[in-house]
Amino acid sequence: MTKGSIKSFLERKNIEISARRYGIDALSAMAQGLFCSLLIGTIINTIGTQFHIGFLTNPVCTISGAEYTVGGLAVAMTGPAMAIAIGYALKAPNLVLFSLAAVGFAANGLGGAGGPLAVLIVAIIAAEFGKAAAGETKVDILVTPIVTILVGVGIACALADAHGEGASVLPVHPDGLPVRVELRVRAL
């Protein structure tokens, strides 16, 4: 591939690698996703507690043995909300956008205290790979979500452990020896 063909491919896929796209557009959208899930869920929980509103303080459902209040459900969806917001800011096609729910859930859960930062990094990469794959095959409805989810969850597993401390990856040196690289991800 020539430099010109790569550039035209990225333009055709609306993949713009820039500080503005990732540092302003994606980060601003992530903040809105965080607000609409974690913060609003916390506000709902607080209102329910302060004003003794049973509907807001009592569990409304049980999922896998865990009971959730209305606010608790919103809080539980923080990762998916952030990832979908990031995908929306990056103008991801629908199949990529909806697949980012699984990516955000994984990145936030595996990121621990660094969850939002993990979601930002992982969702950007997964969305761009998903956008690159979108519309390239006749079975796009399978390929695009598979690429988006595998890239996103794979990166989340490689970069963020359950404590938000980062994860070790073992790349292979050209002479075949494993090289230990450790990445530390911390909340700001």
Side-chain angles (χ1 to χ4, degrees):
M1 269 189 156
T2 66
K3 186 176 179 180
S5 65
I6 293 171
K7 184 178 177 182
S8 67
F9 176 79
L10 294 176
E11 285 175 4
R12 182 170 58 90
K13 294 298 187 165
N14 194 16
I15 298 172
E16 177 188 324
I17 301 169
S18 70
R20 176 172 175 76
R21 177 66 72 93
Y22 301 139
I24 296 173
D25 299 343
L27 191 59
S28 296
M30 185 190 87
Q32 290 178 345
L34 185 69
F35 177 81
C36 292
S37 55
L38 180 64
L39 189 59
I40 294 299
T42 302
I43 291 169
I44 290 170
N45 284 338
T46 303
I47 290 170
T49 302
Q50 293 297 314
F51 295 103
H52 308 288
I53 302 170
F55 175 69
L56 300 181
T57 57
N58 295 328
V60 293
C61 69
T62 302
I63 302 171
S64 298
E67 294 183 332
Y68 291 92
T69 62
V70 173
L73 286 168
V75 170
M77 292 299 108
T78 300
M82 290 187 295
I84 291 167
I86 291 164
Y88 182 80
L90 299 178
K91 299 173 177 51
N94 289 345
L95 292 173
V96 174
L97 195 61
F98 306 144
S99 299
L100 287 171
V103 172
F105 184 78
N108 196 51
L110 293 169
L117 180 59
V119 173
L120 177 66
I121 294 166
V122 171
I124 287 171
I125 296 168
E128 299 295 35
F129 271 86
K131 286 167 55 178
E136 295 297 314
T137 71
K138 292 182 180 186
V139 288
D140 197 43
I141 196 161
L142 296 173
V143 173
T144 299
I146 287 171
V147 167
T148 305
I149 292 169
L150 288 180
V151 167
V153 174
I155 292 171
C157 288
L159 294 183
D161 70 11
H163 303 294
E165 293 291 325
S168 297
V169 292
L170 295 173
V172 177
H173 190 270
D175 62 7
L177 300 172
V179 177
R180 182 172 177 82
V181 176
E182 189 165 309
L183 174 66
R184 298 270 181 207
V185 179
R186 296 199 185 269
L188 298 176

